Amino acid sequence: MPGPFTLGQIASRLGGRVAGDPQTLIRQVGSLEQAGAGQITFFNSTRLQAKLGETRAAAVILAPGNERLTQLPRIVSENPYAYFARVSQLFNPVTTQAGGVHPSAVVSPTAKLGKGVSIGAGCVIGDDVSIGDDSCLYPRVVIYPKCILGRRVVVHSGVVIGADGFGIAREEGRGEGREEGRWVKIPQIGGVRIGDDVEIGANTTIDRGTVDDTVIEEGVKLDNQIQIGHNCRIGAHTALAGCVGVAGSAAIGRHCTVGGAAVILGHLSLCDGVHVSAGTVITRSIRKPGTYTGLFPFDDNASWARNTALVRHLADLAERVGALEKPKRKKRKTRNA
Amino acid sequence: MPGPFTLGQIASRLGGRVAGDPQTLIRQVGSLEQAGAGQITFFNSTRLQAKLGETRAAAVILAPGNERLTQLPRIVSENPYAYFARVSQLFNPVTTQAGGVHPSAVVSPTAKLGKGVSIGAGCVIGDDVSIGDDSCLYPRVVIYPKCILGRRVVVHSGVVIGADGFGIAREEGRGEGREEGRWVKIPQIGGVRIGDDVEIGANTTIDRGTVDDTVIEEGVKLDNQIQIGHNCRIGAHTALAGCVGVAGSAAIGRHCTVGGAAVILGHLSLCDGVHVSAGTVITRSIRKPGTYTGLFPFDDNASWARNTALVRHLADLAERVGALEKPKRKKRKTRNA
Amino acid sequence: MPGPFTLGQIASRLGGRVAGDPQTLIRQVGSLEQAGAGQITFFNSTRLQAKLGETRAAAVILAPGNERLTQLPRIVSENPYAYFARVSQLFNPVTTQAGGVHPSAVVSPTAKLGKGVSIGAGCVIGDDVSIGDDSCLYPRVVIYPKCILGRRVVVHSGVVIGADGFGIAREEGRGEGREEGRWVKIPQIGGVRIGDDVEIGANTTIDRGTVDDTVIEEGVKLDNQIQIGHNCRIGAHTALAGCVGVAGSAAIGRHCTVGGAAVILGHLSLCDGVHVSAGTVITRSIRKPGTYTGLFPFDDNASWARNTALVRHLADLAERVGALEKPKRKKRKTRNA
C-alpha cells in the first residue's frame, strides 16, 4: 500500500490548500464516522456538521466556505468529493483483478482481446467479440457474439451484454394457419458498442440492436441492475444509478445523470445535460438541460390514502372550482352590462 | 445468408402489395436512419415522417394510409411492423446457438433434454428438470430441480428459474425460546412450468411455487430483468417488458401486455386483454380488458416541487372547495324556502 | 419424506388447538385450491371464503375468529400462516443442496469455509472471503474478495456480493489536461458483512462499502433482484421484497418490511418498525414506526390522463380556490367593520 504522505505532500500532488499542520501524516482515507488516527476524511454537507464535530479523523477535506467549521488539519478544495476520490486513489491505486484469462472462462477463438485484458472466472465471450486494452471483466460476465468493448472498460459480475433485444411484433390471425395475437420475433442483428473508460455494475444488462448497434459512449458509468434496451445510445460521461431502465431506441445525451430506478421510455431523446431524479418515469423527449422529476410524494399510509383518493377525482374537483368561479364571472358581466 | 429477393418475390411469399418497381432487389433489412442500398426498412409512425423523407433505403414497408408519403419502392401492409419482422426473418433466419450441451455446463444426470436442445456454457441444470425439443439456453442459465420447460423455449443469459419464492411468515415470540419477530421459512415445494415458444430475457428470475407450480403459459415473452414471484400464472401470448415485477400468486390473463418497470402486486388477477402502461403499479384486480395507467407526470423540478407539495394537501383543498360551495347551497335553500 | 402425522400429533408438536377429528391423517401441505386427500391447507383471508367452502383439503389451519367457517377437521392458531410454515417444515424439512464445494466452483485458497458449507456449481469465491457454518450458496453466486457471511446464510443463484459501489465524483476541468465533467472513481475499499440466518434471493446484488463495510444484520430476508448500495446497513429481521432498490449509505432499522419495487434513497435513515408499501419511493428519513406509502393510483387510461393532467396544474387550482376564498373573507371583514 502506498504512502504515508503528509498533508503538504498530498496538496503538492493534487492541488488544494492546507490549513493547519502540513506535516500531519496520512496513511489512509476514512469515513467521517469511523476514521481514526492517520486517516483523512471529507465533509461536504452541512447536514453532517454534528458528525464533523465528533470525527476522530486526522484531517478533513472541505470547501472554502466550510473551512472554519473544524480546527482539524484540513485541505481546502472547491470540490471536496472529487478531491477525496483522488486522495483515495493515492492510497488505494485502482486495481482490478489479475490480468489474463481465467482457465474457467470460455472465450471464443474468434474473440480479440487487447493487451492487459483480464477475464474473470466463468466469463463467456462469444464469437467475434472485441475487447480493448486493459479492460477487466469480473467473474461470470457474458458477452454475446459481435459486441465491441473499448479500452479500460470495467464490467462487474453477472453483467450480460448483447442478449437479444425485446423485438416482437404482434401478428393478427388472417389466413394460412396464423393464429390470433401471436408474437413474431424480429431478428436482433445489430451489436453493442461500448466506448473507452465505461464501467458497468453487477447484473446490468445491455441488449444488442435490432438492426443498428446499441451504443454506450466513452466514460459512461452504469450502476447495478440497469437494463438498457436495444438500439439505445447513452452519451459520453453520462451516469445512470442502480435499477434504471432505458427502453428500446431511447437516446440519452452527454453529461446526463439518471437517478436510481428511474425509467426512460422508448424512442425518446434527452439532450445533453439532463438530470433525471430517482424514481421518475420520463414519458416524452427533453430538449432543454435541467433537472426533471416526477415522483409521487410518500406519506404515512392514512394521509396517503386520503389524498390519493382525491387524485382520482381531480377532474371533478377542478370542475367544482370552475362552477364556483362562473357565477362570479356572470355577476361581473351583469354589473358591467 | 439467404437472398437477395426482389420486392415482388417478398410479397409473393409474405403477402402485401408492392407499389413501385417490383424488381427492386433487397439484400437485408435496415433502420430508417441507417438503411442503405439494397436494404428495406419500415415506417409506422407519422412522427418519423422527416426521417422517411431522408432515408436512403431501397424500399419501405408501410401502411395503406401512409402509402403516398414516399416515392420509394414500397410494400403496403396493414401491419408494417409484423411484416418487417417476417422480412427480417427471411434474411436472418432466427437461429440460436449451436445444439448440444457445452462441456462447461453442469447438467444433472436425472435431467431430461429433448431433441435439438442447446445448453450454453456455464449453465446449471438441476435434478429432474425437463426441457422440450429445440429449446435453447444461452450461457449461464440456472434451472433449479424439478422445473419443466416446453419446446422451442429460449432462455437468455443470467436467467434463474425455480429459485425459492419469498415465502416467510413472521412469528411472534410466545414461549420456548421463540423470539419476537423472527421469520419462519415456508418450504417452497412447488415447481415452475414453462410452455412452448416462451422467450425469457437476460437476468430475469422466475421463482418456484410454494406448493403448486408457478406457470408461464405458451407463447409468453418476457424481457430482461423481470421478477416473477412464486405461484404466479402468466397467460398465453402475454408480453412483459423489461424490469417488470410480478408479486407472488398474481395471475395475469392471456394476450396481455405489461409496460416496462410496471409492478403487479400479489394475489391479484388481471383478465385477458389487459394492457398495463410502463411504470404503473397495479394494486387491485382488473376484470375488464383495456389499458390501465398510474404514473406521476414528470416536470421540471421546480414545477414538480410546487405541484407535488399540494398533492399532500389535496384533502385540505377539497375541503376548502366544499366550504366555498356550502353557503351557495344554503343560500339557494333559503331562496327556495 | 417425514410423516404421516395425525392432527393431534401435529398440535402436540407445534401447539394450537384441534377442532374435529384429531385422528385425521396428514401426509403433506397443499393450497386451498389444489389440496386433496391427506393434505392440510391454511385460511387467513375472508376474501377467500368461497374457496374455503370448495376446498378438498383434509384439514385446515385457521384463526379462532374463522373457526366456524368450515366443518373440516382443523387446527386453530392465532397465526395460521406461521403455523402453516411450521407444518410444512415438518413434512418438507428445509434442506438446501448437498454439502461441499462443487468441482466447477472457483474458490480462492485464502477463503475460509465453515463446517457444512455448500458451494454450488459455477460459484466464484474471492480472496479472504469467510463463510460461516452451514451456509449454502446455490449455483453461480459470486462473492468478491474480503466479504464475510455468517452462519446458515442461504444465497440463491445469480447473486453478486461485494462488487464495487457506485462511487464516482464529477470533476471539473481546471488545468493539466483535466477535461470537463469526467467521473473520477472512488476506490471501494470497504467490504460486506452479512449476519447469521440471512437469505438472499436470486440475482440480488449487494455492493461493498466505500471505506466502511456494507452491513446486512442477522435474520434479514432479501427477495430477488434487489439492489443494496454501498455503505448501507439493513437492520436485523428486516425483510425486503423483490426489485427493491436501496441507494448508497441508507440505513434501514430492525423489523422493517419494504414492499416490492420500493426505493429508499441514499443517506436516509429509517427507524425500527417501519413498513414501506410496494412501489413507494422514500425521499427523506423516517423517525416514527408505521406504514408509509407513496403510490400514484392507477386508473383506466382515459381517466388517468384526465386527472393526471391536472396534477401538473395543482398549484394553479389551489390559487383559484384561494381567489374564490378572498372576496368572502373581505366581505366578512367589511361586515364586521
Side-chain angles (χ1 to χ4, degrees):
Chain A
M1 205 180 290
F5 300 101
T6 64
L7 283 190
Q9 288 171 329
I10 292 171
S12 75
R13 282 185 179 226
L14 302 177
R17 175 169 53 81
V18 177
D21 183 3
Q23 293 306 318
T24 309
L25 203 63
I26 303 298
R27 297 177 184 281
Q28 184 51 288
V29 295
S31 66
L32 205 52
E33 296 89 346
Q34 299 196 16
Q39 295 188 345
I40 187 167
T41 188
F42 74 101
F43 172 83
N44 70 345
S45 163
T46 47
R47 286 196 312 139
L48 300 175
Q49 202 170 330
K51 286 185 178 174
L52 177 63
E54 294 164 7
T55 191
R56 298 181 311 275
V60 182
I61 303 158
L62 35 57
N66 295 326
E67 186 178 348
R68 311 265 162 137
L69 296 179
T70 181
Q71 298 301 323
L72 288 173
R74 51 213 181 274
I75 293 179
V76 181
S77 161
E78 293 290 342
N79 187 345
Y81 193 49
Y83 198 99
F84 178 79
R86 292 286 179 194
V87 174
S88 183
Q89 288 186 358
L90 203 62
F91 291 103
N92 313 283
V94 176
T95 55
T96 52
Q97 63 193 356
V101 177
H102 191 278
S104 67
V106 176
V107 179
S108 162
T110 61
K112 286 179 200 155
L113 307 187
K115 278 184 288 182
V117 165
S118 165
I119 306 284
C123 285
V124 182
I125 312 297
D127 296 345
D128 301 315
V129 165
S130 166
I131 302 180
D133 295 351
D134 300 315
S135 286
C136 167
L137 277 57
Y138 282 97
R140 286 213 299 100
V141 167
V142 176
I143 317 270
Y144 278 57
K146 293 183 194 171
C147 296
I148 297 170
L149 279 67
R151 292 167 295 171
R152 299 175 300 280
V153 172
V154 175
V155 187
H156 284 279
S157 292
V159 166
V160 179
I161 295 174
D164 279 358
F166 201 54
I168 54 175
R170 196 181 142 96
E171 198 168 55
E172 300 313 322
R174 276 168 306 220
E176 290 181 46
R178 290 188 183 170
E179 287 176 88
E180 201 63 36
R182 295 295 181 277
W183 296 104
V184 189
K185 185 177 175 78
I186 299 166
Q188 303 291 302
I189 61 174
V192 177
R193 274 184 290 136
I194 293 177
D196 295 342
D197 300 303
V198 169
E199 182 158 357
I200 304 174
N203 281 358
T204 280
T205 48
I206 304 173
D207 280 345
R208 68 192 312 112
T210 306
V211 172
D212 305 330
D213 292 339
T214 303
V215 178
I216 313 290
E217 295 182 358
E218 73 271 14
V220 165
K221 308 297 177 184
L222 303 179
D223 195 0
N224 297 1
Q225 305 262 16
I226 288 172
Q227 152 68 359
I228 308 284
H230 55 182
N231 317 318
C232 287
R233 173 178 286 267
I234 313 291
H237 311 296
T238 280
L240 276 57
C243 305
V244 162
V246 185
S249 302
I252 300 180
R254 296 162 57 95
H255 297 293
C256 295
T257 60
V258 181
V263 174
I264 315 295
L265 294 192
H267 297 272
L268 303 182
S269 286
L270 275 60
C271 68
D272 296 350
V274 165
H275 305 285
V276 176
S277 301
T280 296
V281 182
I282 298 297
T283 51
R284 57 181 197 281
S285 291
I286 298 179
R287 296 192 169 76
K288 196 178 148 193
T291 300
Y292 295 84
T293 310
L295 195 61
F296 198 85
F298 84 93
D299 213 333
D300 66 89
N301 194 65
S303 303
W304 168 80
R306 199 170 55 239
N307 288 312
T308 208
L310 288 163
V311 168
R312 299 184 64 206
H313 297 288
L314 261 180
D316 298 344
L317 189 66
E319 240 171 65
R320 286 162 57 195
V321 172
L324 284 164
E325 287 169 333
K326 260 184 208 160
K328 266 187 14 181
R329 284 185 199 144
K330 218 173 169 181
K331 218 182 279 181
R332 271 187 215 134
K333 277 188 192 166
T334 318
R335 281 181 192 161
N336 295 342
Chain B
M1 204 180 291
F5 301 102
T6 65
L7 282 190
Q9 288 171 327
I10 292 171
S12 75
R13 282 188 178 221
L14 302 177
R17 175 169 53 82
V18 176
D21 182 3
Q23 294 306 317
T24 309
L25 204 64
I26 304 296
R27 297 174 184 282
Q28 183 52 286
V29 295
S31 66
L32 205 52
E33 295 89 346
Q34 300 197 14
Q39 296 188 344
I40 187 168
T41 188
F42 74 101
F43 172 83
N44 70 345
S45 164
T46 46
R47 284 199 309 141
L48 302 176
Q49 201 170 330
K51 286 184 178 176
L52 177 63
E54 295 164 6
T55 190
R56 298 180 311 273
V60 182
I61 305 159
L62 36 56
N66 296 326
E67 186 178 347
R68 311 264 162 138
L69 297 180
T70 180
Q71 298 300 324
L72 288 173
R74 51 212 182 275
I75 294 180
V76 180
S77 161
E78 293 291 341
N79 187 345
Y81 193 49
Y83 198 99
F84 178 80
R86 293 287 181 194
V87 174
S88 183
Q89 287 187 359
L90 204 61
F91 291 102
N92 313 284
V94 177
T95 55
T96 51
Q97 63 193 355
V101 176
H102 192 277
S104 67
V106 176
V107 180
S108 162
T110 61
K112 286 179 200 155
L113 307 186
K115 278 184 288 184
V117 165
S118 164
I119 307 284
C123 286
V124 183
I125 313 295
D127 296 344
D128 302 316
V129 165
S130 167
I131 301 180
D133 296 350
D134 300 315
S135 286
C136 166
L137 277 59
Y138 281 98
R140 285 212 301 99
V141 168
V142 176
I143 319 269
Y144 278 57
K146 292 183 194 170
C147 295
I148 296 171
L149 279 68
R151 292 167 295 172
R152 298 174 301 279
V153 172
V154 175
V155 186
H156 284 279
S157 292
V159 166
V160 179
I161 296 174
D164 280 358
F166 201 54
I168 53 174
R170 194 181 144 97
E171 198 169 54
E172 300 313 322
R174 275 167 306 220
E176 291 182 44
R178 290 187 182 170
E179 287 176 88
E180 202 63 35
R182 295 297 180 276
W183 297 104
V184 190
K185 185 177 175 79
I186 299 166
Q188 303 290 303
I189 61 175
V192 177
R193 274 184 289 135
I194 293 177
D196 296 342
D197 299 304
V198 168
E199 183 158 356
I200 304 174
N203 280 359
T204 280
T205 50
I206 304 173
D207 280 345
R208 65 193 312 113
T210 306
V211 172
D212 306 328
D213 291 341
T214 303
V215 178
I216 312 292
E217 295 183 357
E218 73 272 14
V220 165
K221 308 296 178 186
L222 303 179
D223 196 1
N224 297 2
Q225 305 262 17
I226 289 172
Q227 151 68 358
I228 308 284
H230 56 181
N231 317 316
C232 286
R233 173 177 287 267
I234 312 291
H237 311 295
T238 280
L240 276 58
C243 306
V244 162
V246 185
S249 302
I252 300 180
R254 297 161 57 95
H255 297 292
C256 295
T257 59
V258 181
V263 175
I264 316 294
L265 295 193
H267 297 273
L268 303 181
S269 285
L270 275 58
C271 69
D272 296 351
V274 166
H275 304 285
V276 175
S277 301
T280 296
V281 182
I282 299 296
T283 51
R284 55 180 199 281
S285 292
I286 298 178
R287 296 192 169 75
K288 196 178 149 191
T291 299
Y292 295 85
T293 309
L295 196 60
F296 198 86
F298 84 92
D299 213 333
D300 66 90
N301 193 65
S303 303
W304 168 80
R306 199 169 56 238
N307 288 311
T308 207
L310 289 163
V311 168
R312 300 185 63 206
H313 297 287
L314 261 181
D316 299 344
L317 188 67
E319 240 171 67
R320 286 164 58 195
V321 172
L324 285 164
E325 286 168 335
K326 258 183 210 161
K328 265 185 21 182
R329 283 185 199 142
K330 219 173 167 179
K331 218 182 279 182
R332 270 187 215 134
K333 274 186 194 167
T334 318
R335 280 180 190 162
N336 294 342
Chain C
M1 206 181 290
F5 300 102
T6 65
L7 282 191
Q9 288 171 328
I10 292 171
S12 74
R13 281 185 178 225
L14 301 177
R17 175 169 53 80
V18 176
D21 183 3
Q23 294 305 318
T24 309
L25 204 64
I26 304 298
R27 297 175 184 281
Q28 184 51 287
V29 295
S31 66
L32 206 53
E33 295 89 347
Q34 301 197 13
Q39 295 188 346
I40 188 167
T41 188
F42 75 100
F43 172 83
N44 70 346
S45 164
T46 46
R47 283 197 313 138
L48 301 175
Q49 201 170 329
K51 286 184 177 173
L52 177 63
E54 295 164 7
T55 189
R56 298 180 312 273
V60 182
I61 303 159
L62 37 55
N66 295 326
E67 186 178 347
R68 311 265 162 137
L69 296 180
T70 180
Q71 298 300 323
L72 288 172
R74 52 212 181 275
I75 293 179
V76 181
S77 161
E78 294 290 342
N79 187 345
Y81 194 48
Y83 198 100
F84 178 79
R86 292 287 180 193
V87 174
S88 183
Q89 288 187 358
L90 204 62
F91 291 103
N92 313 284
V94 177
T95 55
T96 51
Q97 64 193 354
V101 176
H102 192 278
S104 67
V106 176
V107 179
S108 161
T110 61
K112 286 180 201 156
L113 308 187
K115 278 184 289 183
V117 165
S118 166
I119 306 285
C123 286
V124 182
I125 313 296
D127 295 344
D128 301 315
V129 165
S130 166
I131 302 180
D133 296 349
D134 301 315
S135 285
C136 167
L137 277 57
Y138 282 97
R140 284 213 302 101
V141 167
V142 176
I143 319 269
Y144 278 57
K146 293 183 193 171
C147 296
I148 297 170
L149 279 67
R151 292 167 295 172
R152 299 174 300 280
V153 171
V154 175
V155 186
H156 284 279
S157 292
V159 167
V160 178
I161 295 174
D164 279 357
F166 201 54
I168 53 175
R170 195 181 144 96
E171 199 169 54
E172 300 313 322
R174 276 169 303 220
E176 289 182 45
R178 290 188 182 169
E179 287 176 89
E180 201 64 35
R182 294 297 181 273
W183 296 105
V184 189
K185 184 176 176 78
I186 299 167
Q188 302 290 302
I189 61 175
V192 177
R193 275 184 290 135
I194 294 177
D196 296 341
D197 300 304
V198 168
E199 183 158 354
I200 303 173
N203 279 0
T204 280
T205 49
I206 304 174
D207 279 345
R208 66 190 313 110
T210 305
V211 172
D212 307 328
D213 292 340
T214 302
V215 179
I216 314 290
E217 296 182 357
E218 72 272 14
V220 165
K221 308 296 177 186
L222 303 179
D223 197 359
N224 297 2
Q225 304 262 18
I226 289 171
Q227 152 69 356
I228 308 283
H230 55 181
N231 316 319
C232 287
R233 173 177 286 266
I234 313 290
H237 312 295
T238 279
L240 276 57
C243 306
V244 162
V246 185
S249 302
I252 301 180
R254 297 162 55 96
H255 299 292
C256 295
T257 59
V258 180
V263 174
I264 315 294
L265 295 193
H267 296 274
L268 302 181
S269 286
L270 276 58
C271 68
D272 296 350
V274 165
H275 305 285
V276 175
S277 300
T280 296
V281 182
I282 299 297
T283 50
R284 56 180 196 281
S285 291
I286 299 179
R287 297 192 168 74
K288 196 178 148 192
T291 300
Y292 295 84
T293 309
L295 195 62
F296 198 86
F298 83 93
D299 214 333
D300 66 89
N301 193 65
S303 302
W304 168 81
R306 200 169 56 239
N307 288 310
T308 209
L310 289 162
V311 167
R312 300 185 63 206
H313 297 286
L314 261 181
D316 299 343
L317 189 66
E319 239 171 66
R320 285 163 58 194
V321 172
L324 284 164
E325 286 168 334
K326 260 183 210 162
K328 262 186 19 179
R329 284 185 198 142
K330 218 172 167 180
K331 218 182 278 181
R332 271 188 213 130
K333 276 188 193 166
T334 319
R335 280 179 192 164
N336 294 342

